[in-house]
């Protein structure tokens, strides 16, 4: 059995991430899906940093989010908002973060609104307006996931297309989750 190349390992790992997030969302587990989504953005951002930088920083996360998720999508959110939301969810499992408390990021109010009847839609719009009045930004988890999934797709295509990005991604991926992490299955 051949071991996957580093590029194959990157593609396989991101397929694992996106598939698991989708399964969690389909099963109605939005919060665990968001934890994995933000963690995957962290991993993605770590792959694009210069080889000379051993640590991934907020700026790497925000740049990846802006380049791959926000810019090309219909999200009405800033990279600072995503960074603050990430910190709140991963560190305290809440919408509050030091950035939101300091006014550097808006608090996000996640929701899933699937298969709403017209009456339910009107009621829902009223609820969303009250969230906005509290100064929070309502975010449809399905829209956020779609922007993320499209961003991952663009990112992986850029790795295939851009030799410098591929070099950085392969370099950092070997330190994050080297190809030896794959368990060989004996032939049946």
């Amino acid at each position: 059995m051949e071991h996957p190349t580093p590029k194959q390992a990157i593609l396989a790992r991101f397929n694992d991430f996106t598939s698991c997030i989708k399964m969690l969302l389909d099963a109605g587990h939005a919060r665990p899906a968001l934890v994995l989504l933000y963690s995957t953005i962290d991993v993605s951002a770590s792959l694009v940093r210069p080889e000379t930088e051993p640590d991934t920083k907020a700026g790497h996360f925000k740049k990846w989010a802006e380049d791959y998720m926000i810019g090309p999508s219909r999200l009405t959110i800033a990279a600072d908002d995503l960074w603050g939301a990430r910190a709140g969810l991963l560190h305290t499992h809440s919408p509050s973060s030091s950035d939101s408390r300091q006014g550097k990021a808006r608090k996000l109010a996640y929701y899933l609104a699937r298969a709403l009847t017209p009456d339910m839609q009107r009621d829902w719009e009223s609820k969303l307006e009250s969230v906005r009045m509290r100064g929070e930004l309502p975010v449809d988890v399905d829209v956020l996931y779609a922007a993320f999934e499209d961003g991952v797709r663009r990112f992986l295509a850029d790795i295939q297309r851009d030799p410098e990005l591929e070099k950085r991604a392969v370099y950092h991926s070997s330190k994050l989750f080297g190809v030896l992490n794959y368990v060989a299955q004996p032939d049946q």
Side-chain angles (χ1 to χ4, degrees), residues 13-50:
R13 186 56 53 101
F14 279 95
N15 184 55
D16 288 348
F17 288 148
T18 55
S19 296
C20 288
I21 295 166
K22 181 76 171 123
M23 284 190 289
L24 287 166
L25 287 174
D26 288 347
H29 302 295
R31 285 183 194 94
L34 288 167
V35 168
L36 187 53
L37 184 145
Y38 285 121
S39 297
T40 305
I41 297 171
D42 274 335
V43 171
S44 303
S46 76
L47 296 180
V48 300
R49 73 186 191 276

Side-chain angles (χ1 to χ4, degrees), residues 35-152:
V35 168
L36 187 53
L37 184 145
Y38 285 121
S39 297
T40 305
I41 297 171
D42 274 335
V43 171
S44 303
S46 76
L47 296 180
V48 300
R49 73 186 191 276
E51 290 177 32
T52 57
E53 291 188 32
D55 300 318
T56 306
K57 299 178 178 99
H60 299 117
F61 178 100
K62 292 174 187 180
K63 181 163 178 23
W64 191 93
E66 184 62 46
D67 290 349
Y68 293 103
M69 271 181 77
I70 298 168
S73 76
R74 62 185 181 111
L75 286 177
T76 57
I77 194 168
D80 288 332
D81 299 329
L82 283 177
W83 177 253
R86 168 218 169 269
L89 188 65
L90 297 182
H91 298 296
T92 63
H93 209 65
S94 76
S96 183
S97 68
S98 62
D99 281 0
S100 68
R101 287 187 298 277
Q102 295 171 16
K104 296 177 184 175
R106 295 176 288 182
K107 277 188 191 178
L108 304 188
Y110 302 106
Y111 69 91
L112 288 169
R114 299 173 176 169
L116 299 178
T117 65
D119 287 340
M120 292 167 68
Q121 183 66 38
R122 281 190 293 280
D123 184 49
W124 191 247
E125 290 299 326
S126 172
K127 288 179 182 177
L128 292 179
E129 188 53 37
S130 68
V131 166
R132 287 184 198 95
M133 296 298 287
R134 290 193 315 256
E136 297 178 17
L137 179 64
V139 175
D140 184 327
V141 174
D142 288 327
V143 173
L144 181 64
Y145 174 72
F148 164 79
E149 187 179 39
D150 288 344
V152 166

